[in-house]
Amino acid sequence: SPEVKLAVFGRAGVGKSALVVRFLTKRFIWEYDPTLESTYRHQANIDDEMVSMEILDTAGQEDLLQKEGHMRWGDGFILVYDITDRGSFEEVAPLRSLLEEVKRPKHAPLVLVGNKADLEHARQVPTEEGERLAADMACAFYECSACADHVGTGGGVAEAFYELCREVRRR
Ligand code: GDP
Ligand code: MG
């Protein structure tokens, strides 16, 4: 079965590792070494087809050269911000620009994820702003929580990964 290479990008602390671990294990792990970069293999039945994924969980502290390398490697990208951290939201557009530059003339498939939707009381980024950014980037948008799968708009963490696989395989 085909292999889809997915890379998860976003500022350190937004919950990239927690999202990946939630997707792979359906569990939430509170503390995860923030400096760690890992790749995982996973298979899932998506729309009645087995899809093999390789998932790169970036540390979020890479220099430009490392970022570009990860972007060249990937077929599809999850850009993550934390709804309680406006700064992390503001880092998404520059990531997207770099991605466009690296992949030109192609447009790499991506999805936008606003994580930590369980922390509604601490929200700094309104849902509409996430929706607007996703519309600008012509991609799907999910608000979700790595620790509470029922929270958010998108049908949970897995749906973001599945939709990205679909996008990649449509190309
Ligand atoms: P990364 O640096 O982007 O990989 O972020 P981590 O996955 O290491 O998560 C950073 C911190 O945020 C950790 O303390 C996690 O427990 C916490 N965290 C991650 N996702 C969520 C979430 O959806 N909700 C809440 N409340 N905390 C989260
Ligand atoms: Mg991490």
Side-chain angles (χ1 to χ4, degrees):
S1 53
E3 178 137 304
V4 174
K5 294 189 191 125
L6 308 182
V8 186
F9 279 92
R11 171 187 272 193
V14 296
K16 297 177 300 297
S17 301
L19 286 167
V20 170
V21 169
R22 153 70 69 177
F23 174 58
L24 297 176
T25 69
K26 314 266 189 284
R27 289 201 179 84
F28 180 67
I29 295 175
W30 274 105
E31 289 310 327
Y32 207 86
D33 184 346
T35 61
L36 213 69
E37 171 189 304
S38 318
T39 59
Y40 303 87
R41 288 177 171 276
H42 185 66
Q43 286 205 338
N45 188 320
I46 305 174
D47 309 330
D48 293 323
E49 233 181 322
M50 280 312 279
V51 181
S52 313
M53 288 163 240
E54 196 171 342
I55 301 169
L56 170 63
D57 172 25
T58 69
Q61 307 166 323
E62 293 81 2
D63 62 29
L64 186 63
L65 220 67
Q66 290 170 309
K67 271 189 195 141
E68 288 174 346
H70 291 153
M71 287 174 174
R72 266 192 295 276
W73 173 87
D75 305 315
F77 301 86
I78 303 193
L79 305 188
V80 185
Y81 67 93
D82 168 355
I83 69 152
T84 73
D85 174 9
R86 172 159 290 279
S88 72
F89 180 71
E90 283 161 6
E91 284 184 23
V92 171
L95 273 176
R96 165 59 166 19
S97 302
L98 185 61
L99 191 56
E100 287 287 294
E101 212 174 283
V102 168
K103 294 299 197 187
R104 189 170 295 146
K106 292 184 183 157
H107 300 287
L110 64 141
V111 298
L112 178 66
V113 169
N115 189 39
K116 308 198 188 182
D118 53 298
L119 301 179
E120 189 55 50
H121 59 280
R123 180 189 284 276
Q124 291 184 354
V125 184
T127 303
E128 303 75 59
E129 283 192 54
E131 287 170 347
R132 216 175 303 137
L133 179 59
D136 286 348
M137 304 194 302
C139 73
F141 172 58
Y142 302 89
E143 274 193 354
C144 61
S145 165
C147 61
D149 217 17
H150 57 283
V151 175
T153 52
V157 173
E159 192 48 38
F161 282 87
Y162 289 175
E163 183 54 28
L164 183 56
C165 285
R166 290 188 192 105
E167 269 303 313
V168 169
R169 304 193 62 203
R170 266 180 219 126
R171 309 294 169 98

